[in-house]
Amino acid sequence: MRKLEYLLLLTGVVFVAATNSPVQQQQQSLSTPSRPNVIFILTDDQDVHLDSLNYMPFVQKHLVDKGTSYRSHYCTTSVCCPSRVTLWTGKLAHNTNVTDVNPPYAVGGYPKFISQGFNDNYLPVWLQQAHYNTYYTGKLFNVHTVDNYDSPFPAGFTGTDFLLDPFTYDYLNSTFQRDKEKPQSYEGEYLTDVLTQKAYRLLDEAVHAANPFFLTIAPIAPHCNVFMNGTGLDKNPVFSFSAPIPAKRHEHLFEGVKVPRTESFNPDELSGANWIRTLKKQNESNVEYNDYFYRSRLRALQAVDELVDGLFARLHQHNLLDNTYVVYSSDNGYHIGQHRMQPGKSCGYEEDINVPLIIRGPGVAENASTDVVTTHTDLAPTFLQLLGIPLRVDFDGAAIPLTPREIEAALETRQEHVNVEYWGFAAGEGIYDFDLSAYNNTYKALRITGKGYNLYYAVWCNNEHELYDMNEERSIANPIKTDPHQMHNLLLDKEEATILMHHPIPKLVARLDALLLVLKSCKGASCVEPWRALHPRGGVDTLADALSARYDRFYELEQPRVRFNECERGFLLHSEGPQFESAGKMFRDGLPWYEWV
Ligand SMILES: *[C@@H]1O[C@H](CO)[C@@H](O)[C@H](O)[C@H]1NC(C)=O
Ligand SMILES: *[C@@H]1O[C@H](CO)[C@@H](O)[C@H](O)[C@H]1NC(C)=O
Ligand SMILES: *[C@@H]1O[C@H](CO)[C@@H](O)[C@H](O)[C@H]1NC(C)=O
Ligand SMILES: *[C@@H]1O[C@H](CO)[C@@H](O)[C@H](O)[C@H]1NC(C)=O
Ligand SMILES: *[C@@H]1O[C@H](CO)[C@@H](O)[C@H](O)[C@H]1NC(C)=O
Ligand SMILES: *[C@@H]1O[C@H](CO)[C@@H](O)[C@H](O)[C@H]1NC(C)=O
């Protein structure tokens, strides 16, 4: 991010004398002077890498063909509730401390969102303050239940119709709760169809109100079906997972379709690290079940696809398409069989963190895609900027470039990293082998892509390290082999490449580790511009810059290394090893600290 945008961030002034102010551009391209509407469709556990979007013809027709696909969009914590809290607050999980789904350690769920004070300080509240009407239907957070839904009600909404635990993932027996009414059971009805009617009703309400609107539609497909006996608040709740349940009319589809057999699918060789490296190869019945689970996801997504089609028909009818942004994403990604894992999320591998993001609206290029790096922390800033509402200085992300011109500029200037973090266990959601060692699924990781490099670096709570060179093409940086599927850990397989980006691997790792140290400790600006935290006087904006020999001593001898003291299931500072000390101090007297040094 360059100085100009900092100014925007700091002062909230959306009109400055500059040629490339995103808001100006967007206003120029709007055909009406009124403030735009936003519809945000947020699916649950939808992948990019298992091809699910290719089985959604209406999403293709209305969104992919008519909008821009952000191929390098990532969640930062690969599980529902932490990811959603990040999305609605613009803050990383280490700055919300909502780090898990359920509350056994008081680390997650709706109760933790409330106790952390976010109910007065998150996107819907900010939108309402700016006189937007706000609507929501579907799943908000985990452990938002038939018992706690009104204590307190989620703040900031004009109209709501929430799914509630313990029936959130019960495709044939859901419970919804509208506005301030009592919860209502829809036993025997198909969840996504009920939700579709609710979404259309809210849209109708929104269209007939005087203010512009922000409507969120959050179906649970393609999440697995969960029968919960008790909720996350009970002492010993019993959750049983099964494949997602499609609508009757879609049950027969995709016969014979299987999980894509990539190099990492149920491989002969061990791969990954920590508990993943202990998994045994799946036998034929296990693979067959996982293929069935995969088809069930695709089938369950068909009702969402129909929802999208009906939504666009209504937007067209109301003549709203020229003044409405439609954004499609998912809370986290999903794996089935990669690295021998059972169906689930929670890992840092590409299947789990790279998620769909498609945006359609005024000024956004049609049938376009981009590799500019964006994350869920960027969505709250994006929405505020889109609606002309001042950004907040404590955001851990930056607004996503939307117009072709903004995207082109961003390819030169935008950050190249994704900050990935996780605490706790990784649940297997199929019927086979729940691995107890997956309880130690705590790690910090980093995705970084720049000109000529494409890397994943991770440090686990048992201090195992991973480094994958994910370049898809052979290049000077990578003359030996390509590894987009993260099969060759360069810090373990000593026979693999020892030179990467023209440097011995330890030199590169020293830089990655220092960057990860900043990111795992960052707040606000230091999350967006971590190299600035390391080099306050500038000169280093990319990994390639940091590799200069003049910084060898700084990185290789002077920086503490990322390490854990213990594996914990929550964010307990005493277990997290060294922190980057200056990370929270990037602003002084309202200006970035490097203005003062
Ligand atoms: C989208 O672009 C691709 C080429 O990039 C083209 O083949 C395709 O026909 C386009 N689709 C539409 C709907 O314009
Ligand atoms: C996060 O929350 C947990 C549980 O409430 C608490 O024990 C921990 O100290 C918090 N972490 C930080 C860094 O505040
Ligand atoms: C469906 O949910 C209701 C509560 O909303 C519950 O009383 C009922 O037992 C459930 N039915 C089944 C078949 O689980
Ligand atoms: C739910 O759990 C209770 C005990 O906690 C048990 O009595 C009851 O049978 C269980 N119900 C089902 C449907 O499993
Ligand atoms: C296949 O593997 C699963 C999971 O380990 C196991 O439960 C099952 O018994 C195995 N089936 C056969 C036929 O070996
Ligand atoms: C988790 O890691 C801790 C060390 O931090 C170890 O003592 C424990 O045995 C591990 N648990 C499992 C289930 O692997």
Side-chain angles (χ1 to χ4, degrees):
M1 191 167 55
R2 294 289 155 265
K3 278 236 173 73
L4 170 65
E5 287 159 86
Y6 252 121
L7 209 62
L8 285 171
L9 235 164
L10 287 167
T11 60
V13 173
V14 291
F15 183 87
V16 289
T19 50
N20 64 344
S21 156
V23 174
Q24 263 183 311
Q25 276 182 15
Q26 168 208 317
Q27 282 170 348
Q28 279 157 13
S29 55
L30 289 178
S31 53
T32 75
S34 64
R35 295 191 294 165
N37 310 299
V38 173
I39 298 180
F40 181 32
I41 303 164
L42 180 66
T43 55
D44 199 325
D45 289 357
Q46 186 170 3
D47 60 272
V48 166
H49 289 269
L50 308 184
D51 273 356
S52 60
L53 287 167
N54 287 334
Y55 291 85
M56 302 183 79
F58 293 123
V59 166
Q60 293 291 331
K61 176 179 166 190
H62 299 297
L63 285 156
V64 176
D65 290 352
K66 290 284 168 61
T68 296
S69 296
Y70 292 76
R71 287 187 300 218
S72 301
H73 185 74
Y74 291 87
C75 64
T76 52
T77 301
S78 179
V79 73
C80 309
C81 200
S83 186
R84 285 165 188 248
V85 173
T86 288
L87 206 152
W88 295 117
T89 60
K91 287 172 179 292
L92 290 157
H94 73 252
N95 289 330
T96 67
N97 202 5
V98 179
T99 57
D100 206 342
V101 178
N102 290 309
Y105 287 72
V107 288
Y110 184 59
K112 180 79 177 210
F113 170 83
I114 297 293
S115 68
Q116 292 290 96
F118 290 121
N119 203 30
D120 304 317
N121 201 15
Y122 72 136
L123 188 72
V125 171
W126 307 327
L127 295 175
Q128 270 200 333
Q129 284 165 356
H131 307 293
Y132 263 80
N133 282 355
T134 49
Y135 303 90
Y136 198 112
T137 185
K139 167 181 158 189
L140 181 64
F141 297 129
N142 302 75
V143 202
H144 181 209
T145 77
V146 293
D147 299 317
N148 72 10
Y149 69 92
D150 59 351
S151 49
F153 287 105
F157 290 106
T158 316
T160 61
D161 220 327
F162 293 122
L163 270 166
L164 295 181
D165 277 4
F167 306 103
T168 304
Y169 309 102
D170 205 334
Y171 279 86
L172 298 175
N173 192 23
S174 53
T175 292
F176 282 83
Q177 185 272 318
R178 175 174 172 174
D179 298 331
K180 304 266 148 115
E181 295 171 11
K182 294 247 166 301
Q184 189 185 341
S185 169
Y186 291 83
E187 186 165 352
E189 294 183 56
Y190 188 61
L191 188 153
T192 310
D193 291 343
V194 176
L195 179 128
T196 297
Q197 292 314 313
K198 290 177 179 296
Y200 296 164
R201 178 185 66 76
L202 287 173
L203 177 65
D204 206 52
E205 204 179 297
V207 164
H208 291 102
N211 291 345
F213 65 85
F214 189 107
L215 163 64
T216 304
I217 304 171
I220 54 131
H223 196 287
C224 67
N225 189 80
V226 186
F227 171 75
M228 299 186 190
N229 191 0
T231 72
L233 292 172
D234 293 314
K235 225 179 167 133
N236 292 305
V238 176
F239 297 168
S240 33
F241 296 134
S242 53
I245 299 173
K248 269 250 164 299
R249 61 188 181 282
H250 300 133
E251 275 173 356
H252 64 287
L253 294 173
F254 313 130
E255 214 38 78
V257 170
K258 294 177 174 178
V259 181
R261 299 307 201 246
T262 58
E263 190 191 350
S264 60
F265 181 80
N266 199 24
D268 291 339
E269 313 270 307
L270 289 171
S271 59
N274 197 343
W275 63 272
I276 299 144
R277 220 176 161 80
T278 67
L279 298 175
K280 58 178 204 273
K281 193 166 170 127
Q282 294 171 2
N283 63 26
E284 214 170 294
S285 26
N286 193 160
V287 170
E288 249 170 51
Y289 170 79
N290 287 350
D291 282 330
Y292 155 77
F293 192 101
Y294 176 68
R295 286 190 294 277
S296 305
R297 282 168 55 88
L298 300 180
R299 290 166 179 158
L301 280 168
Q302 298 312 299
V304 177
D305 203 39
E306 291 171 357
L307 181 165
V308 169
D309 192 40
L311 186 73
F312 277 94
R314 282 163 177 79
L315 288 174
H316 182 69
Q317 256 166 30
H318 292 297
N319 206 16
L320 282 174
L321 281 171
D322 288 344
N323 196 26
T324 302
Y325 290 88
V326 182
V327 178
Y328 186 100
S329 194
S330 175
D331 50 4
N332 49 259
Y334 211 73
H335 59 250
I336 303 179
Q338 292 73 32
H339 309 286
R340 303 182 176 178
M341 290 188 286
Q342 301 297 345
K345 53 251 183 186
S346 313
C347 291
Y349 303 112
E350 203 67 354
E351 291 81 6
D352 289 17
I353 59 172
N354 190 196
V355 294
L357 177 68
I358 313 162
I359 303 180
R360 170 183 172 164
V364 179
E366 296 191 3
N367 194 20
S369 64
T370 174
D371 286 320
V372 63
V373 176
T374 59
T375 77
H376 274 358
T377 48
D378 301 329
L379 285 177
T382 305
F383 290 136
L384 291 196
Q385 179 149 310
L386 200 56
L387 307 184
I389 302 169
L391 300 193
R392 307 172 63 84
V393 291
D394 61 352
F395 277 145
D396 296 337
I400 293 172
L402 296 176
T403 64
R405 216 167 113 199
E406 286 168 29
I407 289 174
E408 206 184 304
L411 286 172
E412 296 303 318
T413 57
R414 198 177 169 85
Q415 78 275 0
E416 44 180 29
H417 67 273
V418 179
N419 180 5
V420 183
E421 47 193 7
Y422 201 92
W423 299 261
F425 68 96
E429 299 179 352
I431 53 174
Y432 288 110
D433 285 349
F434 179 68
D435 195 308
L436 276 186
S437 61
Y439 272 106
N440 278 335
N441 191 55
T442 294
Y443 56 83
K444 312 283 178 192
L446 166 61
R447 271 293 275 127
I448 187 161
T449 59
K451 293 201 173 90
Y453 49 95
N454 187 2
L455 306 168
Y456 175 78
Y457 175 66
V459 179
W460 288 80
C461 63
N462 65 1
N463 293 313
E464 277 183 54
H465 286 57
E466 290 177 283
L467 173 64
Y468 300 101
D469 174 7
M470 297 174 63
N471 258 321
E472 304 240 7
E473 283 163 27
R474 285 169 204 230
S475 62
I476 300 171
N478 181 357
I480 299 169
K481 63 164 66 153
T482 66
D483 191 18
H485 298 289
Q486 302 170 300
M487 291 298 290
H488 306 282
N489 180 359
L490 298 174
L491 300 178
L492 188 76
D493 301 345
K494 296 290 182 210
E495 74 280 9
E496 302 282 348
T498 52
I499 301 283
L500 198 55
M501 295 176 70
H502 306 295
H503 293 276
I505 281 180
K507 277 193 184 300
L508 175 64
V509 168
R511 271 71 174 180
L512 292 172
D513 202 271
L515 181 63
L516 185 58
L517 189 76
V518 174
L519 291 173
K520 83 180 188 99
S521 336
C522 73
K523 275 191 172 45
S526 60
C527 305
V528 178
E529 284 200 299
W531 296 115
R532 280 281 186 180
L534 290 159
H535 300 271
R537 287 166 198 280
V540 175
D541 293 318
T542 65
L543 176 60
D545 295 343
L547 277 163
S548 162
R550 62 206 280 217
Y551 304 122
D552 281 354
R553 188 185 164 76
F554 176 72
Y555 282 109
E556 291 160 39
L557 301 173
E558 293 173 5
Q559 297 306 308
R561 290 309 180 95
V562 175
R563 82 185 142 66
F564 286 85
N565 304 327
E566 255 168 292
C567 281
E568 300 276 6
R569 290 181 60 187
F571 179 32
L572 304 176
L573 265 184
H574 64 80
S575 304
E576 300 246 334
Q579 300 288 315
F580 185 80
E581 292 305 333
S582 309
K585 304 185 196 131
M586 286 281 283
F587 284 98
R588 200 192 291 159
D589 299 334
L591 276 175
W593 69 317
Y594 53 80
E595 293 289 314
W596 295 94
V597 292

